[in-house]
Amino acid sequence: MKLFGSSGVRGIVGEEITPHMFLALGKAIGTTLPLQSDVCMATDTRLSRDMLRTSLAAGILSAGVNVTHMGMVPTPILAYSTGVLGFRAGIMVTASHNPPQFNGVKLWNPSTMGYSPQQEKAVEDIFFAETFRKVNWKQLGHVYSNSTTPEIYFKILSEKIEVKTDLKIVVDPGNGAASHIASRLFSEMGIEVLPFNDEPDGRFPSRPSEPREDTLEETVSYLQDMDADLAVCFDGDADRVVFCDQEGFLGYNEMISFISHLVAEQSSGKVVATTVETGRLLDHAVAPHGATVVRGKVGDVAVAHLVQEHSACIGVEQVGVYIMPDIGMHPDTLYATLFLLKNIETPQQIRNYINTLPTLFFTKKGITCPNELKEKVMEVVGQMVNELQPKEINLLDGIRLEFSDSWLLIRPSGTEPTIRILGESESKSRLEHHMKEGISMVEEALKGVKP
């Protein structure tokens, strides 16, 4: 059985995610750690945060491990602070970009890298076998609190990077964990900031927690009304960031390509790490700098391990994840934004650069599929894909079909009850054709499988 997906534990509160389940998960996490060691914990803004962090902490304390609560902070700050402040592990209670009824957990090492598959399996084995460590009353863990983590992180960032810019920036945390924090950081760095959707609210009333072109229309309108230059838009826990200018959304593959191009241009490391979900635009962007792209499994932890394995100069996911070794092996959207602002004078530079790249059409669609049916559906799809006559089939993570001018990926989501179909092509009509075939195969497979 699996507890962890591609980015921690995730599920709907009251269904997969309950206080009882989080109590057991806390016991399992605590059991894998040395007796009397210390962990830090933070949350995003979801309404279930206090219920779940309390249950999780109780389980950890029962295994003889101390817990320091850091309050409501973005994942990049929690992940970075884990090692800097001397904790054995960092625990983020979040469901990232998922809707408000979801919640979950992400686990971090002092190295700032997320838990490895081996570490996750160790937690899973204890969780399912219920072989929890029991300690006597003298050995129970203690609870502490630390509300100064953002200030410590701000100070370190200001020493690592200096930004001088005249750009006016809309900061849109979408009522998530970056609310009040990202706008304060950028202001303290001397950047002119216009906060938008900047009140913490775990219902995500202003827009969905996943920042996409269709969910950022009001942000773009505000940017235009205020005559600002760029909008910086975060997801629920701020491990993803996307950007808009006065013309609108700046794209997924386009922005990771632009920032990776800047990094590759300045770095001696000539490898860029990404996932099977990322398009070929990235290859075109970094090739002039002598850099190559390596693709692995989806998820920031998988990307971080690729960065480490290949000494990559940057790791990216097309949804807006940036792992920059200069700051750590975790997704750090705050540092990535500062790096971008340091290296452009106007947003038009981004548009101008994107226009030099080949025109590639990219799209994705999600089809609802219960988690327990995903494996069966993918088995059926796997028996059908040869009908499309691909040049190559990549089974590293899902099924990626390579064609001469296109690719198509069919992959079960590791964070939602969804199967995703993604595609990219030099031809819009070819992309539509491949997507139609991919969607049809998944829908047909769904009809034929039973729980």
Side-chain angles (χ1 to χ4, degrees), residues 5 10 75 97 104 136 174 209 220 258 266-267 319 323 342 358 421 442:
R10 203 79 59 89
T75 288
H97 62 281
N136 64 43
S209 55
V220 172
F258 181 69
Q266 300 173 26
S267 175
V319 290
I323 296 173
K342 179 180 179 179
I421 300 99
V442 173

Side-chain angles (χ1 to χ4, degrees), residues 17-49:
I17 303 296
T18 65
H20 182 266
M21 179 264 188
F22 257 49
L23 178 66
L25 179 57
K27 290 179 180 180
I29 293 168
T31 301
T32 65
L33 298 169
L35 197 63
Q36 297 303 311
S37 56
D38 296 278
V39 302
C40 57
M41 184 184 296
T43 76
D44 66 15
T45 60
R46 292 164 199 275
L47 302 188
S48 57
R49 65 186 183 274

Side-chain angles (χ1 to χ4, degrees), residues 55-77:
S55 298
L56 194 68
I60 295 169
L61 297 170
S62 74
V65 173
N66 303 314
V67 177
T68 296
H69 287 299
M70 292 182 168
M72 201 184 296
V73 300
T75 288
I77 295 181

Side-chain angles (χ1 to χ4, degrees), residues 141-263:
H142 299 280
V143 176
Y144 305 96
S145 63
N146 181 348
S147 60
T148 64
T149 317
E151 283 69 28
I152 295 167
Y153 174 83
F154 287 7
K155 183 175 184 299
I156 291 169
L157 267 197
S158 66
E159 292 169 354
K160 279 190 172 288
I161 188 166
E162 184 179 1
V163 180
K164 293 181 179 177
T165 180
D166 295 324
L167 298 180
K168 191 191 299 184
I169 307 302
V170 172
V171 176
D172 177 5
N175 306 118
S179 296
H180 295 333
I181 292 176
S183 54
R184 182 156 57 94
L185 167 64
F186 297 150
S187 294
E188 289 185 13
M189 297 286 281
I191 300 164
E192 186 176 357
V193 168
L194 296 169
F196 189 66
N197 301 329
D198 200 31
E199 288 296 322
D201 190 331
R203 298 168 301 164
F204 305 120
S206 303
R207 64 162 172 83
S209 55
E210 183 177 5
R212 306 187 308 263
E213 182 172 11
D214 62 318
T215 65
L216 295 173
E217 292 176 358
E218 288 188 11
T219 308
V220 172
S221 294
Y222 179 75
L223 181 152
Q224 294 167 342
D225 291 344
M226 302 302 292
D227 196 28
D229 297 292
L230 201 68
V232 181
C233 311
F234 299 97
D235 73 336
D237 68 329
D239 71 342
R240 296 181 177 189
V241 63
V242 300
F243 303 91
C244 305
D245 65 4
Q246 293 223 358
E247 294 182 44
F249 186 63
L250 276 160
Y252 292 117
N253 285 299
E254 289 81 358
M255 279 309 302
I256 65 166
S257 297
F258 181 69
I259 292 178
S260 296
H261 137 75
L262 293 175
V263 172

Side-chain angles (χ1 to χ4, degrees), residues 53 154 344 400 449 451:
R53 76 172 174 85
F154 287 7
I344 62 169
R400 178 162 161 152
V449 300

Side-chain angles (χ1 to χ4, degrees), residues 79-109:
Y80 185 75
S81 301
T82 298
V84 168
L85 299 181
F87 292 100
R88 188 66 182 238
I91 302 168
M92 186 72 189
V93 178
T94 181
S96 192
H97 62 281
N98 289 90
Q101 66 270 30
F102 284 76
N103 216 331
V105 164
K106 296 178 181 178
L107 302 173
W108 303 93
N109 286 297

